[in-house]
Amino acid sequence: MSALHIKKGSTKHSAYNLRPTFSDVQETHTLAVLVDNEAGVLARVIGLFSGRGYNIDSLTVAEVDHEGHRSRITVVTTGTPQVIEQIKAQLGRIVPVHEVHDLTVEGRSVERELALIKIEGQGEKRVEALRLADIFRAHVVDSTLESFVFQITGTPDKVDAFADLMRPLGLVEVARTGVAALSRGI
Amino acid sequence: MTSQMTGAKMVVQALRDQGVDTVFGYPGGAVLPIYDEVFQQNEIRHILVRHEQGAVHAAEGYARSTGKPGVVLVTSGPGATNAVTGLTDALMDSIPIVVLTGQVPTFMIGSDAFQEADTVGITRPCTKHNWLVKDTNKLSGTIHEAFHVATSGRPGPVLVDIPKDVQFANGSYTPKAKAATTRYQPQVKGDPDTILELVEAIETAQRPVFYTGGGVINSGPAASQLLRELVDATGIPITSTLMGLGAYPASSDKWLGMLGMHGLYEANLAMHGCDLMINVGARFDDRITGRLDAFSPTSRKAHIDIDPSSINKVVRVDMPIIGDIGHVLEDVLRMWKARGRKVNREALHHWWSQIEDWRAVNCLAYKPSAGTIRPQHALARLEALTKDHDRYITTEVGQHQMWAAQYLGFEDPGRWMTSGGLGTMGYGVPASVGVQIAHPDALVINVAGEASWLMNMQEMSTAVQYRAPVKQFILNNERLGMVRQWQELLHGERYSHSWSEALPDFVKLAEAFGCKGILCKDPADLDDAIMEMLDYDGPVIFDCLVEKHENCFPMIPSGEPHNKMLLGEVSTKDAIGASGAVMV
């Protein structure tokens, strides 16, 4: 159609993201956001997601550089490729945000979550819970005659799987940290 | 080199260092120490508004017409919450505004103290950035950073919340040069490879069009100059958004007029039919694009914008260029000239003859009526009688705003102040006061509808106090005209609450405020009445009674593409489908 004989939507100068941006496919991305640890910074990030109707699947935040007062926010979010691009651009606009990394597209990364899971029960169920915990490399961090608290670390899927198995064995409470993630290699 | 002083003194010192000459504000308990310092100096002029919303809109008018940031000083609680509409307006239209709010003392924050509000919490989504300053030593540095953030990159409003004890306490002053501004440094130079791609596209395009926006004006006068040079040298037609009017002169033959929902026929059809769209500092707003899947289907699109989040937000573009308009246009021009100033002359000639056919439709034609004043006629006469003046126009929001954009011509940037993104009724009166304060000798006209005008009419009192001779040109149809128009088109002519009952007598109202009132209802008297308004040395409220049921055309119905424009009353029945009705 074009006089230039260039296919519409051509991205020949683009170094990455060669997929069509405007599709309906939902993708889950893990973003690492490095921010100044100042009052209100988390509210700015969360407010951006709620104000613009983006999803937060998981969010963790802690100061990672105590001298430079930098915090690292790890957000797992779901959206179309266009929405994911918007989220990154909008995060980049926030004044105390220094870096935004999309760990899902910037090469391989490692993602881990920690969960504390409380089981109540006696007898065979209690033994079975211990046996499964061993298989999942979960540790007992608290014990009474009627209960355990397991600590498990792993991908969100692994934590889900463990919690699902514990449910019929007397699971009463779960606390999860949300995902922390880093890129692999250097 | 730091010197010790109170926080309140620091505020005034920091404003002085920033070159601020005017502050719009309203005092209250939590800002009294700052007002005490304002009282004891003469360099910064304080304009006392009548409502904090008016302060922000006045500062917006000041900022848009001068290119400098507008400054607002208000108190805690209601002072801050009243400023919220203005802040949101400035955020949507990218206007640099610095709002200083008082706050209850730090040790009372969170106690539901008198006139306490979570100001930084409330204004977080409607500012570019905001700060609560809890330490006097950080106050001046924060104010300097606030000015930097407001004016750098895509401009916008910022807010600094200053508790009363921080104003009283002593601290060391940080001069402007030493303030921390390094963490916010938006990219201004565009990517040379993509700029080259754009230049190549300009050289070969058969049906190119410039689609420009408020970003050109925000970039500064140099950007408008470069745009003119580029358009005139290439001969490419140019259209603009509501926000961008004046960046390119309306008197030029390359000018197609405004585009969008109430844009000109030739502008919208050029957008629909082009093969190269060059978006310069506009953001593909929904009032511009209409139906997205049918928006300019045959074009390659370039988008120059300083804000990366504007790129690919709603429309996928082929040539994204992130950078300051001035810098990028300079590079485009330099590269285009160096490569031999080529354009596809023959194809451009065809393109222009096509555009001339569209122009010949004369979409803004109207029939003047002998009995009542048609609003289009009122604006056409206002244009004829004022275009040679040193003129600034503000507007309210609604039909009159669109007619003003259609029938008034703007030759220079910064001459047109209107609430585009947020569509704030009540913007125009305070904005006109702010413009007049900045340009005391210029002709400042607020083109208004009577309903919008009543929303912030208290600012006439400000105009009278400061002898700001603003002209309030009210197109009075005793209706919420645009609402009424949509109800006619979309809601079965059920005019739910869209008429103005119990309107004041505007002439008597003018006299009550201490200004001049003029009533005009006969087309035969219109010119004389406008001249009377222009000749009067002081604020005027001009009540122009116009045709009550006039609709604003041309119009792209919601949910339709650019080539489905409605031109007049004949074709409006059932024009908007059900899916369009939700997009209004």
Side-chain angles (χ1 to χ4, degrees):
Chain A
M1 202 63 201
S2 152
L4 302 163
H5 306 294
I6 292 170
K7 230 167 52 186
K8 226 172 89 55
S10 153
T11 49
K12 65 187 171 84
H13 284 280
S14 171
Y16 53 90
N17 190 18
L18 293 166
R19 297 157 303 171
T21 316
F22 289 17
S23 81
D24 296 331
V25 184
Q26 295 283 317
E27 295 179 357
T28 298
H29 285 234
T30 304
L31 310 179
V33 188
L34 293 169
V35 300
D36 284 326
N37 184 17
E38 60 181 33
V41 66
L42 187 60
R44 285 179 210 285
V45 170
I46 294 173
L48 169 67
F49 278 78
S50 66
R52 292 187 183 263
Y54 306 142
N55 299 307
I56 297 179
D57 298 343
S58 155
L59 181 133
T60 65
V61 55
E63 190 171 81
V64 291
D65 173 0
H66 297 307
E67 277 166 22
H69 301 290
R70 290 288 173 91
S71 287
R72 185 180 177 104
I73 300 175
T74 309
V75 195
V76 181
T77 181
T78 304
T80 63
Q82 179 210 358
V83 165
I84 301 279
E85 288 305 314
Q86 257 303 296
I87 291 173
K88 288 188 271 183
Q90 293 289 353
L91 284 170
R93 290 212 311 178
I94 298 176
V95 173
V97 167
H98 288 267
E99 293 171 42
V100 180
H101 293 287
D102 186 343
L103 297 175
T104 306
V105 300
E106 292 176 11
R108 293 173 346 116
S109 62
V110 49
E111 297 187 2
R112 290 295 180 269
E113 186 177 13
L114 184 144
L116 298 172
I117 293 177
K118 186 180 281 182
I119 310 293
E120 272 179 20
Q122 290 173 329
E124 191 48 41
K125 279 190 175 174
R126 192 171 153 82
V127 177
E128 182 60 20
L130 263 183
R131 222 179 341 244
L132 286 167
D134 191 39
I135 294 168
F136 276 79
R137 296 201 186 94
H139 303 292
V140 176
V141 291
D142 178 68
S143 175
T144 67
L145 292 175
E146 290 90 32
S147 71
F148 287 123
V149 173
F150 293 115
Q151 170 195 309
I152 180 167
T153 313
T155 62
D157 283 349
K158 179 182 168 185
V159 175
D160 283 345
F162 184 64
D164 285 346
L165 284 169
M166 288 298 118
R167 206 152 278 129
L169 299 178
L171 180 146
V172 286
E173 233 179 335
V174 181
R176 296 173 73 147
T177 59
V179 172
L182 276 182
S183 60
R184 288 180 188 269
I186 44 170
Chain B
M1 179 214 91
T2 54
S3 53
Q4 293 288 312
M5 60 181 83
T6 65
K9 210 176 197 68
M10 236 177 235
V11 170
V12 173
Q13 183 60 42
L15 294 180
R16 210 180 278 140
D17 276 10
Q18 288 289 341
V20 173
D21 53 23
T22 308
V23 170
F24 300 90
Y26 204 99
V31 276
L32 284 178
I34 300 173
Y35 268 88
D36 205 24
E37 291 299 331
V38 168
F39 186 81
Q40 298 176 52
Q41 55 84 48
N42 284 317
E43 286 163 70
I44 298 169
R45 188 178 184 207
H46 178 274
I47 305 295
L48 177 70
V49 294
R50 297 300 185 269
H51 186 289
E52 289 88 350
Q53 184 190 353
V56 187
H57 292 324
E60 285 185 274
Y62 177 93
R64 286 195 206 198
S65 65
T66 61
K68 296 193 287 186
V71 182
V72 173
L73 175 60
V74 295
T75 194
S76 64
T81 56
N82 278 344
V84 164
T85 301
L87 286 168
T88 312
D89 190 90
L91 185 72
M92 291 287 268
D93 286 346
S94 308
I95 309 302
I97 300 288
V98 178
V99 176
L100 307 173
T101 51
Q103 181 56 279
V104 301
T106 48
F107 53 85
M108 291 180 81
I109 288 177
S111 70
D112 298 327
F114 176 64
Q115 293 197 327
E116 182 188 355
D118 175 10
T119 301
V120 286
I122 290 169
T123 60
R124 201 173 282 129
C126 60
T127 53
K128 225 181 136 178
H129 196 63
N130 62 14
W131 296 260
L132 169 63
V133 183
K134 289 183 168 176
D135 176 358
T136 307
N137 288 310
K138 292 184 176 160
L139 178 56
S140 53
T142 304
I143 294 174
H144 292 311
E145 191 188 3
F147 274 87
H148 171 74
V149 170
T151 53
S152 312
R154 180 177 179 175
V158 297
L159 181 144
V160 184
D161 200 23
I162 312 169
K164 197 169 180 180
D165 55 335
V166 173
Q167 299 170 31
F168 274 127
N170 271 296
S172 54
Y173 181 82
T174 309
K176 184 182 170 187
K178 294 205 171 155
T181 52
T182 47
R183 67 171 178 171
Y184 185 73
Q185 294 292 344
Q187 174 188 340
V188 292
K189 291 292 277 183
D191 168 41
D193 288 346
T194 321
I195 293 176
L196 177 63
E197 202 184 338
L198 170 60
V199 170
E200 286 168 359
I202 289 172
E203 288 169 352
T204 52
Q206 296 181 320
R207 303 181 309 280
V209 66
F210 279 105
Y211 151 43
T212 62
V216 182
I217 294 167
N218 278 337
S219 177
S224 291
Q225 211 46 54
L226 288 160
L227 178 71
R228 288 158 192 232
E229 201 186 325
L230 184 61
V231 170
D232 295 344
T234 56
I236 294 174
I238 175 169
T239 176
S240 159
T241 66
L242 183 73
M243 294 303 299
L245 298 177
Y248 188 82
S251 57
S252 163
D253 59 346
K254 306 289 181 296
W255 173 244
L256 303 182
M258 181 178 76
L259 80 161
M261 184 171 270
H262 294 289
L264 270 68
Y265 186 68
E266 50 268 42
N268 283 331
L269 287 193
M271 287 287 281
H272 190 80
C274 66
D275 72 340
L276 173 66
M277 178 188 296
I278 308 163
N279 175 339
V280 188
R283 60 183 177 89
F284 295 109
D285 182 90
D286 57 89
R287 304 289 101 167
I288 296 301
T289 58
R291 193 173 124 196
L292 274 174
D293 60 5
F295 173 68
S296 192
T298 57
S299 63
R300 295 184 73 210
K301 298 174 184 72
H303 187 181
I304 308 170
D305 202 305
I306 199 160
D307 178 2
S309 75
S310 283
I311 307 275
N312 290 335
K313 184 170 68 177
V314 282
V315 170
R316 172 108 181 71
V317 295
D318 307 283
M319 290 165 269
I321 301 170
I322 297 166
D324 171 60
I325 303 296
H327 283 85
V328 174
L329 287 184
E330 196 178 0
D331 288 349
V332 170
L333 252 175
R334 191 171 29 76
M335 231 180 262
W336 179 74
K337 284 179 181 167
R339 288 167 52 92
R341 298 166 167 264
K342 286 175 281 187
V343 289
N344 189 343
R345 299 236 169 262
E346 201 186 336
L348 259 182
H349 182 74
H350 279 292
W351 181 223
W352 270 111
S353 64
Q354 167 73 77
I355 289 170
E356 290 306 332
D357 287 349
W358 292 330
R359 266 185 179 162
V361 169
N362 198 9
C363 67
L364 294 184
Y366 60 92
K367 259 195 217 122
S369 100
T372 52
I373 300 172
R374 300 198 93 179
Q376 300 94 325
H377 181 65
L379 284 165
R381 293 316 301 157
L382 185 71
E383 167 72 359
L385 296 171
T386 63
K387 67 178 174 190
D388 297 327
H389 287 68
D390 177 18
R391 182 186 77 178
Y392 293 82
I393 301 284
T394 68
T395 75
E396 304 287 346
V397 169
Q399 285 183 322
H400 68 274
Q401 180 190 27
M402 294 297 107
W403 282 317
Q406 292 170 342
Y407 290 90
L408 302 181
F410 298 95
E411 298 297 306
D412 294 299
R415 298 289 177 145
W416 164 249
M417 274 61 54
T418 192
S419 172
L422 193 64
T424 310
M425 291 171 71
Y427 170 88
V429 178
S432 69
V433 173
V435 173
Q436 189 82 73
I437 295 292
H439 308 278
D441 299 324
L443 170 63
V444 180
I445 304 172
N446 177 33
V447 177
E450 84 288 347
S452 284
W453 193 86
L454 287 172
M455 281 201 179
N456 269 327
M457 68 165 186
Q458 77 283 350
E459 300 306 330
M460 285 313 290
S461 184
T462 311
V464 172
Q465 178 177 345
Y466 295 97
R467 300 181 203 289
V470 290
K471 313 301 182 199
Q472 304 296 323
F473 193 71
I474 303 174
L475 299 176
N476 184 351
N477 59 359
E478 301 171 14
R479 300 288 183 278
L480 312 185
M482 195 60 97
V483 172
R484 193 208 60 78
Q485 178 168 346
W486 283 106
Q487 287 172 335
E488 180 183 328
L489 298 176
L490 275 167
H491 295 278
E493 301 178 46
R494 291 180 294 280
Y495 300 118
S496 182
H497 299 271
S498 57
W499 67 93
S500 307
E501 231 171 288
L503 281 171
D505 178 328
F506 285 98
V507 173
K508 282 188 185 158
L509 188 63
E511 285 160 7
F513 273 120
C515 41
K516 184 181 179 65
I518 298 173
L519 173 68
C520 183
K521 51 190 170 185
D522 187 340
D525 301 335
L526 185 59
D527 277 22
D528 287 347
I530 291 175
M531 288 312 295
E532 189 186 350
M533 172 180 86
L534 298 180
D535 289 342
Y536 183 72
D537 182 20
V540 176
I541 299 174
F542 188 110
D543 184 14
C544 187
L545 297 185
V546 296
E547 169 62 44
K548 298 188 200 310
H549 297 112
E550 194 71 27
N551 280 334
C552 185
F553 290 108
M555 172 183 180
I556 304 175
S558 290
E560 292 288 359
H562 282 173
N563 59 346
K564 294 274 172 66
M565 293 192 81
L566 305 178
L567 284 174
E569 308 279 54
V570 216
S571 55
T572 56
K573 291 280 177 226
D574 301 318
I576 300 175
S579 65
V582 299
M583 295 172 66
V584 176

